Amino acid sequence: MNISMLARQPIYNHDNQLFAFELLYRSDDNQNAGVTNDFEATSKLLANLCMNSLDEEISANRPIFINVDLAFLTSESFFSAPPPNVVFEILETVEISEFSINCIRKLKQRGFTFALDDFELDGQHSKLFPYISYLKIDVQAESLDDVEQYLNHLNGHNFTLLAEKLEDEDCFNRCQQMGFELFQGYYLERPKIITGNKVAANKQVALQLISELSREDIDNDKIAELIATDPRLTFKLLKIVNCPLYPFKREIQNIHEAVVMLGVDIIKQWAQILTLVSESEQPLELFRTLLVRAKTCELYSKSIKLTNAKDAFTVGLFSGLDAVLNTKLETILQEIQLAPHVKTALLDNDNSEHNVLLLVKAYEKNIALKPALSQHQQEDLVKHYWQAVKWSDTIMTLIT
């Protein structure tokens, strides 16, 4: 059954030619946003765009505009590099401060493209003018006379003017006369609902995948072969690597290429997470806890340069296998091929300072860390834990 994934509203130039689309989040059971905050809306929109099968091509090779708040701008979970052909609309709710200005300035220097959304003529957001490519003015919220007067005194800017929420021909013509170059609103076209299908992984091969993906000697070809046995898991992973928001120059057409592009460790992590979620009937909040634990283990292990740091994420994630699969951990570990040091860590048989899992679990329960850490180590652990919390909040939108 097709369900609502997002809405798309076109943006036209002065010749009434299609220039771009703005993407708007819509919930799967109605045509409203159905979210309680801007970060959630953006996260779920991206999840629907990246992780689901949409009924039509979304951008038509045009730029796409997406609303973002400050929490999203400061999150490193989605974009390690500027996504091509994407314009991030800075919401009017973003408070103008030295912190927010520096954040946007640095992202602009890295190549990100910004617009100011719902710009208020008497507001503080003009301080962001040096870093934006588009200025969107709501012509229903502002008097057209006030807008014209403001634009007459706006000299030397390097951004494109976009009139939004146009509702009639007279307003459209007036905005053209004032020098607006782009136009958006119900007069031109209402947002169109884009539907699609949610995709679930094949539970029949879940346990085999978990076991095989955990092998230390697994190579690119074997990973690709295993994932290919589950067509739906294959589809999800290819959707991730081919998401239009990520800067790959060509379409990745198979899992082997995906492994090369994202790397063995990243593909293994994604496959393990998606497989466990599909297999389990436990509440999703359990996975949030495990993702935080896994990411904390990974970050802290790398910071202290542990020899087996590359396995730390798996240790943290698999530490809850008994709860996820509703089976004793000892029984599960008899059927999964894991390195001896990973099994030892999972069974809590290693009480040395190198058992990061025990340290993280102790911090979760707010009990004394054993063995005791130095002040610097404790600070590092706490820092990485809260980085992991922020990361997991974003990832949860991609696995549900």
Side-chain angles (χ1 to χ4, degrees):
M1 180 182 68
N2 286 0
I3 55 180
S4 300
M5 291 294 179
L6 50 87
R8 182 184 68 183
Q9 187 174 31
I11 297 170
Y12 294 97
N13 64 18
H14 63 278
D15 293 323
N16 285 329
Q17 295 178 332
L18 178 63
F19 173 77
F21 290 105
E22 179 175 1
L23 302 186
L24 307 163
Y25 173 71
R26 293 295 184 264
S27 61
D28 58 7
D29 57 355
N30 58 63
Q31 296 188 355
N32 298 314
V35 292
T36 58
N37 60 69
D38 297 321
F39 183 86
E40 180 185 359
T42 302
S43 300
K44 289 190 174 182
L45 184 149
L46 296 181
N48 283 343
L49 185 62
C50 297
M51 295 295 296
N52 298 290
S53 175
L54 302 180
D55 290 346
E56 55 187 277
E57 204 279 320
I58 197 68
S59 69
N61 293 319
R62 302 300 203 284
I64 56 176
F65 285 61
I66 296 175
N67 293 332
V68 292
D69 64 357
L70 188 59
F72 188 88
L73 289 171
T74 56
S75 170
E76 299 180 355
S77 303
F78 279 108
F79 303 107
S80 59
N85 235 19
V86 175
V87 178
F88 294 100
E89 294 188 26
I90 303 168
L91 291 168
E92 69 278 9
T93 55
V94 172
E95 182 179 352
I96 299 303
S97 64
E98 183 178 352
F99 174 78
S100 61
I101 293 174
N102 285 337
C103 171
I104 293 165
R105 175 178 55 81
K106 291 177 181 177
L107 289 172
K108 174 69 174 179
Q109 291 172 345
R110 290 173 54 193
F112 288 77
T113 303
F114 293 107
L116 271 180
D117 188 37
D118 289 337
F119 176 70
E120 297 178 357
L121 303 182
D122 58 353
Q124 296 293 312
H125 286 72
S126 59
K127 294 180 180 179
L128 296 177
F129 279 0
Y131 315 115
I132 66 169
S133 299
Y134 303 91
L135 179 66
K136 299 184 69 174
I137 297 180
D138 181 348
V139 295
Q140 295 300 316
E142 305 282 355
S143 159
L144 290 182
D145 289 337
D146 289 343
V147 171
E148 184 171 20
Q149 184 177 4
Y150 184 87
L151 295 182
N152 286 338
H153 292 85
L154 188 63
N155 298 316
H157 64 80
N158 294 316
F159 46 76
T160 299
L161 292 172
L162 192 161
E164 62 176 334
K165 299 186 181 176
L166 294 166
E167 294 191 354
D168 57 57
E169 184 177 5
D170 289 341
C171 184
F172 175 67
N173 291 335
R174 178 85 182 272
C175 288
Q176 282 189 314
Q177 294 170 2
M178 283 190 285
F180 282 93
E181 301 169 70
L182 298 175
F183 308 89
Q184 178 183 9
Y186 286 180
Y187 168 69
L188 298 168
E189 190 171 334
R190 290 175 176 268
K192 177 183 178 181
I193 299 298
I194 305 297
T195 59
N197 296 287
K198 287 188 176 292
V199 181
N202 186 343
K203 294 183 179 181
Q204 294 180 347
V205 297
L207 291 177
Q208 177 191 359
L209 278 173
I210 292 172
S211 177
E212 292 298 316
L213 287 169
S214 303
R215 290 172 45 188
E216 284 192 302
D217 60 346
I218 194 168
D219 58 22
N220 289 12
D221 291 336
K222 186 59 177 178
I223 287 180
E225 178 185 339
L226 286 169
I227 294 174
T229 63
D230 184 343
R232 293 177 179 177
L233 180 58
T234 300
F235 180 82
K236 278 197 170 186
L237 288 171
L238 286 177
K239 291 293 286 186
I240 291 172
V241 76
N242 281 313
C243 174
L245 301 176
Y246 289 85
F248 293 117
K249 295 181 179 179
R250 62 180 177 82
E251 181 179 1
I252 307 305
Q253 299 181 342
N254 58 63
I255 286 296
H256 190 276
E257 285 186 299
V259 175
V260 173
M261 296 299 290
L262 290 183
V264 172
D265 292 335
I266 295 297
I267 285 290
K268 284 174 65 173
Q269 287 182 11
W270 270 113
Q272 289 167 345
I273 291 169
L274 293 172
T275 303
L276 285 176
V277 171
S278 71
E279 178 68 15
S280 178
E281 297 179 355
Q282 300 300 322
L284 283 173
E285 284 305 307
L286 169 63
F287 292 97
R288 188 187 303 276
T289 299
L290 293 179
L291 286 172
V292 172
R293 182 182 298 171
K295 195 64 175 179
T296 307
C297 288
E298 178 188 48
L299 293 173
Y300 184 74
S301 295
K302 288 180 178 178
S303 72
I304 62 175
K305 296 180 173 56
L306 281 186
T307 303
N308 298 311
K310 65 182 181 63
D311 298 314
F313 187 94
T314 297
V315 170
L317 183 66
F318 284 8
S319 65
L321 277 179
D322 51 345
V324 171
L325 302 178
N326 198 26
T327 305
K328 288 184 177 182
L329 185 59
E330 291 82 358
T331 301
I332 297 172
L333 294 182
Q334 289 176 359
E335 301 182 11
I336 297 180
Q337 299 183 29
L338 294 174
H341 68 272
V342 174
K343 285 191 175 183
T344 299
L346 288 172
L347 294 172
D348 292 341
N349 291 332
D350 178 8
N351 292 315
S352 74
E353 61 179 349
H354 301 303
N355 191 340
V356 174
L357 176 61
L358 286 184
L359 297 177
V360 175
K361 290 169 72 173
Y363 180 74
E364 288 174 350
K365 298 175 182 178
N366 196 28
I367 61 177
L369 299 177
K370 295 181 179 180
L373 299 180
S374 68
Q375 181 67 27
H376 177 71
Q377 289 173 320
Q378 291 184 44
E379 291 173 355
D380 268 357
L381 181 62
V382 173
K383 178 186 71 174
H384 293 315
Y385 178 85
W386 288 108
Q387 287 176 337
V389 169
K390 186 176 181 179
W391 175 85
S392 67
D393 286 343
T394 301
I395 294 304
M396 285 295 292
T397 67
L398 297 178
I399 66 175
T400 56

